[in-house]
Amino acid sequence: MSSATKKTVFVLNGPNLNLLGTREPAVYGAQTLGDVEKLCTQACERHGLALRFHQSNHEGALVDWIHEAGRLHAAGELAGVVLNAGAYTHTSIALHDAIKGTGITLIELHISNVHARESYRHHSYMAAAAKAVMCGFGVLGYGLAIDGLAQMLAQPAG
Ligand code: DQA
């Protein structure tokens, strides 16, 4: 399949995820963000999807990428978005509004099981705007989320 006809998956990572590999390895594991990108590339290749992979420590950059995904969605060229918003998950009405405002299919993802951690990580502003929420699979969750988006594309009513 040529890249022109492939639908695109955006994988967006928020603050501090650039530190993966050295950041609290007991919580987030030893794999780096580069390793996560490779895993996402492989998952997209399995499903004939194109990948856009980004990380930023800045909320507005994440909003801008969601808007860009929204433009692809409107053109029928988006498979969906996997968002690990990091700590913005628990604070950002702006990201919630961006997801709602674009109508994209978005999977909220966390490497750790946020519900087994501090209570301030239990609330998510993303969840009410997300199609699905997953946490606790470690970095494997990224590949699983892409598999899920691909299955939803194949069986839209499922
Ligand atoms: C995280 C969980 C968040 O609570 C935290 O602020 C992160 C990472 C995760 O992937 O487990 O930065 O989203």
Side-chain angles (χ1 to χ4, degrees):
M1 193 185 276
S2 84
S3 62
T5 58
K6 282 180 177 176
K7 290 204 179 196
T8 298
V9 173
F10 275 61
V11 177
L12 302 178
N13 294 282
N16 301 307
L17 290 161
N18 53 313
L19 300 179
L20 277 183
T22 56
R23 173 193 186 194
E24 299 183 81
V27 177
Y28 298 112
Q31 287 185 280
T32 66
L33 195 64
D35 295 328
V36 173
E37 183 169 4
K38 274 185 211 135
L39 193 154
C40 292
T41 301
Q42 287 164 0
C44 282
E45 280 172 358
R46 275 201 301 280
H47 298 294
L49 297 167
L51 175 67
R52 290 277 307 273
F53 189 93
H54 297 290
Q55 187 276 332
S56 178
N57 296 321
H58 304 277
E59 190 175 16
L62 296 166
V63 170
D64 287 343
W65 283 319
I66 289 171
H67 289 182
E68 200 181 334
R71 287 191 286 276
L72 284 193
H73 171 66
E77 294 167 7
L78 185 76
V81 175
V82 178
L83 173 65
N84 185 347
Y88 288 141
T89 304
H90 318 298
T91 63
S92 180
I93 298 170
L95 284 172
H96 170 100
D97 286 349
I99 300 162
K100 292 285 261 198
T102 53
I104 56 174
T105 299
L106 181 135
I107 300 186
E108 173 185 344
L109 178 138
H110 303 285
I111 296 166
S112 64
N113 177 358
V114 286
H115 300 289
R117 299 180 63 194
E118 302 94 332
S119 59
Y120 56 79
R121 297 185 202 277
H122 297 177
H123 178 261
S124 164
Y125 282 101
M126 307 302 106
K131 173 79 178 171
V133 179
M134 59 191 296
C135 68
F137 284 101
V139 296
L140 287 179
Y142 285 86
L144 297 174
I146 291 169
D147 289 346
L149 282 174
Q151 286 206 30
M152 280 195 271
L153 274 182
Q155 301 170 312

